[in-house]
Amino acid sequence: MRLLVTGGAGFIGSNFVRHVCAERPDWEVVVFDLLTYAGDRRNLAGLEQVKLVQADICDEPAIDAAVASADAVVHFAAESHNDNSLHSPWPFVQTNVVGTYQLLESVRRHEKRLHHISTDEVYGDLELDDPAKFRPDTAYNPSSPYSSTKAASDLLVRAWMRSFGVQATISNCSNNYGPYQHVEKFIPRQITEILEGRRPKLYGSGENVRDWIHTEDHSSGVLAILERGRIGETYLIGADGERNNRAVVELILELMGRERNDFDHVNDRPGHDLRYAIDASKLREELGWRPRYNDFRAGLEATIAWYRANVAWWHPQKLETEAKYQVLGR
Ligand code: NAD
Ligand code: TDX
């Protein structure tokens, strides 16, 4: 198997590549990644099965050549941060929509199997007391420029499957955490704020709920779908990890030896989604997938230890990220 992984130098893509190298040592992996501010070749260090092609998914000849020489493609490449999409939406339209279009045209031309990575945010948000969770047939209702471009990319994949017979699957996963996540995201931002001697920053009231999953569990779900998923189907990936942001900040503070109330409330995110929750029963029942990282406290402790031990990895991103937040008052 020669597997092409777009966005494989980012947080989740590189975790998936490491997972594949460990689980399928005879596969060849080609990572196709532009190495934007969010990509880092160090995330792939020491992986002998992996070759990196640094190029833009919107560059038609480059993506076409990469697809032509692969057996299958897993598509992670995206602009991924909601806050960035609120002040600079164009790269999201370009990479998430136009990039996915270019990839679809290539897999169509070369008749290659595609797995498309998406997010639970395409379904919009839920009330705190809504007993319903997102399911594969939940109507799309995205809120932000980020989630609307991810929704658009999913709809392109669906249309290319139906209209042109492209052999694809889609997965929509909830919020990931773990090592190698960019410090712009919630959990690494708070850990590194504390490591730098500052206070965590909670948007608004902190009542917003996210459904946390360890990135290793996301990767095992994607591999199961790539190998055993039914063509044409959408699978939701989640590990029943709902928690509100305030509870997560309090736990990080406790695990790092600080008072649980040692945080600041900052300006809320405009249009801030209230709650996400995934019903992953289709993935569990059809493919027998189970999350292995069920202890959030232990997973968070290990993640904190990773950021403590890898200051050189995150420190260069930190200054630039906080400068951006300062402009936004967050
Ligand atoms: P990330 O921002 O850490 O990584 C994105 C990667 O894509 C980077 O390596 C970047 O260099 C690359 N990239 C960006 N634009 C590119 C372009 N034009 N051409 C080629 N490569 C490009 O993102 P992540 O958090 O690892 O998310 C990966 C995927 O998973 C995304 O599709 C995202 O929508 C989806 N997802 C993320 C989460 C989450 O919690 N982070 C949850 C569900 C789904
Ligand atoms: O400093 C912060 N304080 C805070 O309270 C930051 C950065 C975030 N937040 C809140 C906003 C959200 O309610 O924490 C929650 C999580 O924020 P993010 O890490 O920015 O994630 P979110 O917007 O939920 O989106 C994430 O999950 C779905 C990923 O970034 C997406 O790529 C994925 O699709």
Side-chain angles (χ1 to χ4, degrees):
M1 165 69 107
R2 193 173 155 90
L3 184 66
L4 180 68
V5 181
T6 74
F11 163 50
I12 306 173
S14 68
N15 183 282
F16 177 71
V17 169
R18 288 191 298 278
H19 183 81
V20 165
C21 289
E23 298 291 321
R24 302 287 178 269
D26 54 328
W27 289 14
E28 265 178 64
V29 180
V30 176
V31 167
F32 185 99
D33 197 301
L34 184 57
L35 299 180
T36 66
Y37 79 96
D40 193 327
R41 62 174 75 242
R42 292 176 300 174
N43 299 357
L44 303 169
L47 300 173
E48 284 168 9
Q49 287 158 257
V50 178
K51 186 179 148 223
L52 173 66
V53 175
Q54 184 178 356
D56 190 337
I57 185 104
C58 301
D59 175 345
E60 186 185 342
I63 191 63
D64 200 63
V67 168
S69 62
D71 297 315
V73 185
V74 181
H75 178 36
F76 290 92
E79 285 291 336
S80 68
H81 192 39
N82 271 300
D83 289 321
N84 291 343
S85 82
L86 292 167
H87 63 84
S88 185
W90 172 240
F92 290 74
V93 175
Q94 185 72 11
T95 291
N96 301 0
V97 185
V98 178
T100 301
Y101 161 80
Q102 292 295 5
L103 178 62
L104 280 166
E105 284 293 81
S106 289
V107 297
R108 173 187 173 201
R109 256 190 306 271
H110 300 290
E111 298 185 355
K112 298 294 164 79
R113 162 89 169 90
L114 170 70
H115 179 69
H116 174 65
I117 302 292
S118 191
T119 170
D120 58 358
E121 298 193 18
V122 300
Y123 302 114
D125 59 355
L126 298 163
E127 292 300 328
L128 294 179
D129 59 357
D130 190 337
K133 295 184 172 193
F134 299 139
R135 297 174 49 83
D137 58 356
T138 301
Y140 274 37
N141 187 25
S143 319
S144 73
Y146 163 68
S147 54
S148 65
T149 57
K150 290 299 290 185
S153 70
D154 295 9
L155 297 183
L156 292 179
V157 176
R158 289 183 181 195
W160 262 242
M161 291 195 283
R162 174 149 174 182
S163 303
F164 305 124
V166 162
Q167 302 285 294
T169 41
I170 299 175
S171 56
N172 298 78
C173 187
S174 58
N175 282 63
N176 285 222
Y177 77 99
Y180 297 96
Q181 187 167 30
H182 195 280
V183 298
E184 68 191 357
K185 302 295 192 327
F186 177 55
I187 287 178
R189 184 181 187 205
Q190 313 313 338
I191 295 170
T192 55
E193 283 297 88
I194 296 170
L195 290 176
E196 298 230 300
R198 294 189 293 267
R199 286 155 65 96
K201 292 166 179 66
L202 202 52
Y203 292 176
S205 66
E207 295 311 304
N208 306 65
V209 170
R210 296 295 181 264
D211 189 353
W212 294 100
I213 182 172
H214 196 283
T215 188
E216 267 294 323
D217 286 331
H218 187 180
S219 293
S220 67
V222 170
L223 186 58
I225 298 165
L226 178 69
E227 295 189 313
R228 295 180 280 118
R230 281 186 295 137
I231 295 299
E233 294 293 314
T234 290
Y235 295 87
L236 269 53
I237 308 179
D240 300 317
E242 283 187 68
R243 275 179 176 73
N244 74 33
N245 294 339
R246 180 200 301 263
V248 174
V249 161
E250 288 171 349
L251 183 55
I252 292 171
L253 283 161
E254 182 197 320
L255 292 172
M256 296 183 76
R258 297 264 291 261
E259 293 297 322
R260 287 171 69 90
N261 61 0
D262 196 9
F263 62 83
D264 293 324
H265 288 279
V266 295
N267 289 339
D268 206 354
R269 172 185 283 172
H272 195 175
D273 279 344
L274 185 55
R275 172 175 166 242
Y276 307 135
I278 288 271
D279 174 350
S281 50
K282 178 173 169 179
L283 180 61
R284 286 172 177 266
E285 284 159 23
E286 256 187 41
L287 304 185
W289 172 84
R290 295 284 179 277
R292 289 178 44 228
Y293 290 74
N294 293 308
D295 183 342
F296 182 69
R297 187 186 175 94
L300 200 53
E301 229 172 343
T303 303
I304 292 168
W306 188 88
Y307 282 90
R308 269 194 208 286
N310 289 278
V311 177
W313 182 87
W314 57 262
H315 204 260
Q317 318 165 349
K318 184 66 180 167
L319 214 64
E320 196 183 333
T321 302
E322 290 307 319
K324 276 197 214 166
Y325 277 127
Q326 206 163 14
V327 174
L328 301 174
R330 294 204 281 279

